[in-house]
Amino acid sequence: EPEVTQTPSHQVTQMGQEVILRCVPISNHLYFYWYRQILGQKVEFLVSFYNNEISEKSEIFDDQFSVERPDGSNFTLKIRSTKLEDSAMYFCASTLQYTGELFFGEGSRLTVL
Amino acid sequence: GESVGLHLPTLSVQEGDNSIINCAYSNSASDYFIWYKQESGKGPQFIIDIRSNMDKRQGQRVTVLLNKTVKHLSLQIAATQPGDSAVYFCAERPFSGGYNKLIFGAGTRLAVHP
């Protein structure tokens, strides 16, 4: 069964460092998303991406965040200068159509020290 | 119900019983609702969805009920099994949200005891 894959599964970084989280969405999907979940809390929308541009972003997705689909298969989330409060599980998701059945990856846990 | 931080509400049931997980959503303009299951260390997994023009939808062992009058959503799981143990999230899509900007609820932990 096709699945969304994410790397790394866990990354530990120092505050102020840049981090890139990588995702390979399901191959024929067209819409891509990043969500995050701070430990024990709600899953929160960060950004949606379609047709090689951001469709929508949340207040969390400030200038420190960026997304890219560099090669037609990978979908990356970059945090330019990490803060302690960026520590969370980051989930990539994709969907074929404009529909709620998002397919989530298993997440990348980011720990900022 | 809602929760703060790590203190998720927990529903404990015996294997074989039926489970009902409730969710209050926030936006009366939401037109689409989804239930997700999240097992420990994994991403949310789609269970069932319902559009705002419906009040009930059934899947395999699961039923979702929508009451728009009181902005309430419930997930019923029949004959609950140990593999159903997980955190369950409801999510809503505000009509103006677009492109799957889902708003997730706080989650309910379901613990199934043999």
Side-chain angles (χ1 to χ4, degrees), chain A residues 31 33 35 37 39-45 48 50 55-59 89 91 95 97-107, chain B residues 2-3 5-8 32 34 36 38 41-46 49 51 89 93 95-106:
Chain A
Y31 299 82
Y33 312 84
Y35 281 75
Q37 185 178 32
L39 184 62
Q41 297 188 22
K42 299 181 187 184
V43 178
E44 301 174 289
F45 172 83
S48 59
Y50 171 69
S55 310
E56 190 158 7
K57 58 185 180 179
S58 71
E59 306 78 25
M89 183 74 92
F91 292 106
T95 188
Q97 296 175 340
Y98 180 61
T99 172
E101 188 171 348
L102 297 184
F103 291 84
F104 283 88
E106 299 220 327
Chain B
E2 291 297 320
S3 67
L6 297 173
H7 302 290
L8 287 176
Y32 183 71
I34 313 101
Y36 283 92
Q38 187 177 28
K42 295 191 173 182
Q45 179 185 3
F46 175 91
D49 59 0
R51 300 198 179 276
F89 293 95
R93 184 182 71 198
F95 182 70
S96 61
Y99 293 108
N100 283 315
K101 182 183 178 181
L102 299 179
I103 299 172
F104 280 77

Side-chain angles (χ1 to χ4, degrees), chain A:
Chain A
E1 185 177 318
E3 59 182 15
V4 176
T5 58
Q6 291 186 239
T7 55
S9 56
H10 189 191
Q11 180 152 1
V12 181
T13 191
Q14 296 291 322
M15 191 168 54
Q17 295 297 302
E18 176 183 283
V19 160
I20 297 176
L21 305 178
R22 292 183 167 80
C23 169
V24 179
I26 295 173
S27 61
N28 62 337
H29 283 190
L30 301 175
Y31 299 82
F32 313 109
Y33 312 84
W34 285 99
Y35 281 75
R36 80 171 186 190
Q37 185 178 32
I38 294 170
L39 184 62
Q41 297 188 22
K42 299 181 187 184
V43 178
E44 301 174 289
F45 172 83
L46 292 179
V47 67
S48 59
F49 191 87
Y50 171 69
N51 201 26
N52 280 320
E53 60 183 21
I54 291 174
S55 310
E56 190 158 7
K57 58 185 180 179
S58 71
E59 306 78 25
I60 303 166
F61 196 89
D62 61 22
D63 291 345
Q64 293 301 310
F65 290 86
S66 63
V67 289
E68 196 176 34
R69 188 159 158 79
D71 56 12
S73 62
N74 290 285
F75 179 51
T76 62
L77 175 69
K78 182 194 288 188
I79 308 174
R80 255 179 279 282
S81 177
T82 49
K83 302 187 285 287
L84 295 175
E85 54 265 37
D86 294 328
S87 295
M89 183 74 92
Y90 288 80
F91 292 106
C92 175
S94 70
T95 188
L96 177 59
Q97 296 175 340
Y98 180 61
T99 172
E101 188 171 348
L102 297 184
F103 291 84
F104 283 88
E106 299 220 327
S108 292
R109 180 170 298 285
L110 176 64
T111 301
V112 183
L113 303 177

Side-chain angles (χ1 to χ4, degrees), chain B residues 63-77:
Chain B
T63 301
V64 54
L65 299 177
L66 174 63
N67 185 332
K68 294 183 288 294
T69 304
V70 295
K71 294 191 287 187
H72 184 267
L73 199 64
S74 69
L75 177 70
Q76 300 178 357
I77 304 173

